[in-house]
């Protein structure tokens, strides 16, 4: 449909009908639906009808936002943005609903001292533009970078909101609170506060990769920010020479979120790492938490389901920190949680809340360790037991004995792959015969960033990169290589979201015999491959060939075989 036809259809009667029928909702969307058009197709006609400039995404990219005039929070909340085009002094105001009289009046009052040009954009384009702007302009940018003159006080639960951050007079409290708020809004899994000679560097771990979000040129403010973290975590602020661990809780949007804190001394002061433990959000995100929601391949899903439905034995999941091991075990528990079995977990910390499951948090200060808790669990008539992590020999021995005496045990252990797990237990002094008798299967998993679907495009890969990736492709048509160029949807990284890959090892009689006899690793690997074993690297390369991720990403996460 041409712009002329759209303009002809967008007459005054239709505008009046939108105002009458649509109340305070988005009028442009209502008109677009009425005319069976997209907002993009309606944009030129609507801009012409209301005497506004039409602003598409390329045009928005030429706009330099001015969040001193209208704050970023207000722009996000009211779906507008104010800035300058090509360094012009005149202010450009971009809105998405020209029929929102309340917004127009609010903006006109705020901008009464300025010369203003009005423009119209679609809701999707404006949201994407604000996502890009958010990477550079966060709530913490409103913090005045000078040392706090008042002592930092107050421990316990911290309530955080945009209005509360704006109202706080203490620069240190504003800095810490806005850092936490922005991290939660961005979906960060960890927050790193690193003290340097010149001040503080703040990083978020997003999709498993650290991203610098703020640099503060004040060593005094850096020390006070770390002290604030220690106060709310109930740690000793006078002790700066030894590591300290603690935790605290914040309330954001009526949601309680836990943070696990690690303080480490360095040459210039202290560093802090905060692990985000948003149990209710994750539980709500996966209310029907099943293995299907995790994105595994069909064969891996079948293996985990089969192992989790065994009447007794040991299911081990291995991988580095943050690879999704606990989530996998929770998904398996959720599927077998029919109410007919007594399921007990012991974890440090509890990451999800499962209905009908007895979940025990480790509390080492009170003497509740994995070992002591696991011994008590065995006296509590359990059918299924989940041990958050096997860290020491005693926990390993008890878990294996429990699996050998009629209980089904789910647990995680740190190892590089499924074959290294056997060595880890041997180093803990667990008898190899007992281990292989108890073991049902092993899963090793990783999380790979996947290409952003909005900006991924087909690329040519250099022969050098193929060589470093261990690939010898005889034909260019062997696979489709894609890479994200970076856009508003992926924060300019080219990646959006992560995908789980895994390798699985079922315990066959042949493997059990080789493990008990301490056969060479090469022989064990060959036996596994003869049974259809697919390694982590094989699974990662398959994703690259399908255009779902990049060679650089799989080289970062998995070793070349």
């Amino acid at each position: 449909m041409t712009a002329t036809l759209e303009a002809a259809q967008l007459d005054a009667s239709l505008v009046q009908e939108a105002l009458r029928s649509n109340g305070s909702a988005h009028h442009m969307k209502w008109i677009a639906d009425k005319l069976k058009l997209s907002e993009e197709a309606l944009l030129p006609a609507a801009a012409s009808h209301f005497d506004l400039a039409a602003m598409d995404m390329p045009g928005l990219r030429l706009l330099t936002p001015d969040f001193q005039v209208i704050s970023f929070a207000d722009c996000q909340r009211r779906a507008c943005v104010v800035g300058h085009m090509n360094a012009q002094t005149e202010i450009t105001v971009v809105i998405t609903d020209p029929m929102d009289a309340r917004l127009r009046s609010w903006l006109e009052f705020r901008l009464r001292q300025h010369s203003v040009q009005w423009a119209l954009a679609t809701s999707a384009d404006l949201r994407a533009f604000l996502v890009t702007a958010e990477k550079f302009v966060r709530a913490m940018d409103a913090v005045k970078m000078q040392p706090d003159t008042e002592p930092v006080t107050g421990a316990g639960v911290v309530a955080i909101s945009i209005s509360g951050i704006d109202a706080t007079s203490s620069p240190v409290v504003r800095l810490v609170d806005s850092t936490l708020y922005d991290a939660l809004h961005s979906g960060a899994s960890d927050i790193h506060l690193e003290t340097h000679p010149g001040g503080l560097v703040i990083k978020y771990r997003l999709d498993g990769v650290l991203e610098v979000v703020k640099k503060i040129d004040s060593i005094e403010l850096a020390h006070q920010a770390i002290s604030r973290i220690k106060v709310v975590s109930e740690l000793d602020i006078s002790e700066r020479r030894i590591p300290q661990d603690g935790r605290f809780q914040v309330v954001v949007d009526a949601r309680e979120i836990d943070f696990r804190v690690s303080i480490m001394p360095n040459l210039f002061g202290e560093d802090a790492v905060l692990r985000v433990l948003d149990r209710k959000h994750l539980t709500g995100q996966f209310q029907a938490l099943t293995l299907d929601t995790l994105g595994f391949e069909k064969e891996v899903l079948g293996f985990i389901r089969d192992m989790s439905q065994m009447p007794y034995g040991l299911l081990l999941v291995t991988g580095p920190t943050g690879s999704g091991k606990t989530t996998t075990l929770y998904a398996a528990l959720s599927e077998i949680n029919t109410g007919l079995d007594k399921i007990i977990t012991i974890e440090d910390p509890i990451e999800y809340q499962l209905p009908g499951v007895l979940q025990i948090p480790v509390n080492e200060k009170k003497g509740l360790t994995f070992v002591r808790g696991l011994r008590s669990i065995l006296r509590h008539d359990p059918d299924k037991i989940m041990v958050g992590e096997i860290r020491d020999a005693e926990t390993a021995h008890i878990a294996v004995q429990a699996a050998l005496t009629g209980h089904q045990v789910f647990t995680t252990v740190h190892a590089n792959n499924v074959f290294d797990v056997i060595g880890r237990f041997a180093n803990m002094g667990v008898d190899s015969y007992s281990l292989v008798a108890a073991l049902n299967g092993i899963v090793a998993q990783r999380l790979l960033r996947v290409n952003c679907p909005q900006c991924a495009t087909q690329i040519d890969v250099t022969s050098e990169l193929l060589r470093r990736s261990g690939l010898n492709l005889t034909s260019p048509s062997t696979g489709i290589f894609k890479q994200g160029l970076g856009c508003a949807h992926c924060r300019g990284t080219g990646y959006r979201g992560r995908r789980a890959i895994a390798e699985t090892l079922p315990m066959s009689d042949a493997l059990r015999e080789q493990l008990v006899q301490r056969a060479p690793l090469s022989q064990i690997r060959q036996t596994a491959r003869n049974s259809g074993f697919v390694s982590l690297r094989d699974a990662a390369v398959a994703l690259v060939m399908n255009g779902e991720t990049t060679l650089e990403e799989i080289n970062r996460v998995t070793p070349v075989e």
Side-chain angles (χ1 to χ4, degrees), residues 104 112 124 157 212 231 293 335 353 358 392 466 485 490 534:
R104 292 286 291 264
R112 60 189 182 279
V157 178
V212 176
V231 166
T293 64
E335 291 198 356
Q353 296 171 344
L358 173 56
D392 54 70
L466 288 172
L485 301 179
C490 60
V534 177

Side-chain angles (χ1 to χ4, degrees), residues 15-266:
V15 171
Q16 291 301 318
E17 185 181 354
L19 290 170
R20 286 194 307 271
S21 306
N22 204 35
S24 59
H26 199 279
H27 302 94
M28 285 286 289
K29 186 177 186 308
W30 186 91
I31 292 176
D33 292 342
K34 184 81 172 177
L35 297 176
K36 297 181 179 180
L37 296 171
S38 65
E39 282 192 64
E40 289 81 0
L42 181 63
L43 180 66
S48 175
H49 182 88
F50 292 101
D51 196 22
L52 304 174
M55 187 78 74
D56 57 9
M57 181 54 83
L60 278 170
R61 291 196 181 109
L62 300 176
L63 180 73
T64 303
D66 189 344
F67 295 117
Q68 300 298 320
V69 178
I70 302 295
S71 72
F72 177 79
D74 279 331
C75 288
Q76 228 179 9
R77 189 162 46 244
R78 297 174 183 271
C80 64
V81 68
V82 172
H84 302 275
M85 296 292 293
N86 299 322
Q88 296 176 355
T89 55
E90 185 181 48
I91 282 184
T92 298
V93 182
V94 184
I95 57 176
T96 62
D97 187 354
M99 288 172 275
D100 189 342
R102 182 178 295 181
L103 174 62
R104 292 286 291 264
S105 299
W106 183 82
L107 287 168
E108 287 170 356
F109 178 77
R110 289 293 190 93
L111 304 171
R112 60 189 182 279
Q113 304 296 332
H114 300 274
S115 174
V116 175
Q117 178 182 353
W118 294 82
L120 182 66
T122 66
S123 302
D125 282 350
L126 189 69
R127 280 197 305 270
F129 177 76
L130 288 175
V131 168
T132 306
E134 184 187 17
K135 182 176 180 180
F136 303 100
V137 183
R138 300 174 185 271
M140 66 181 70
D141 289 338
V143 176
K144 296 178 181 178
M145 297 307 166
Q146 74 259 12
D148 194 2
T149 56
E150 300 177 2
V152 181
T153 60
V157 178
V158 181
I160 299 178
S161 65
I162 284 287
S163 59
I165 293 170
D166 290 339
T168 301
S169 60
S170 167
V172 172
V173 175
R174 294 182 72 192
L175 172 61
V176 173
D177 286 1
S178 57
T179 299
L180 301 179
Y181 187 91
D182 286 330
L184 294 171
H185 183 70
S186 302
S189 62
D190 300 84
I191 306 167
H192 290 239
L193 289 81
E194 301 175 355
T195 305
H196 291 270
L200 187 71
V201 175
I202 300 173
K203 301 176 181 177
Y204 295 160
R205 187 174 293 280
L206 299 165
D207 287 338
V209 178
L210 284 177
E211 179 180 318
V212 176
V213 296
K214 189 68 180 176
K215 294 182 180 179
I216 297 166
D217 299 325
S218 169
I219 192 67
E220 185 63 26
L221 191 61
H223 292 326
Q224 292 188 11
I226 300 293
S227 294
R228 171 66 180 171
I229 296 292
K230 291 164 76 173
V231 166
V232 297
S233 306
E234 298 182 342
L235 301 177
D236 184 358
I237 63 171
S238 64
E239 182 56 75
R240 296 187 175 184
R241 297 162 296 178
I242 61 173
Q244 298 188 66
D245 297 310
R247 62 184 64 206
F248 66 93
Q249 190 179 81
V250 302
V251 177
V252 178
D253 300 329
R255 195 170 78 240
E256 295 178 351
I257 299 157
D258 294 321
F259 287 85
R260 188 172 61 193
V261 179
S262 172
I263 306 291
M264 195 71 67
N266 72 9

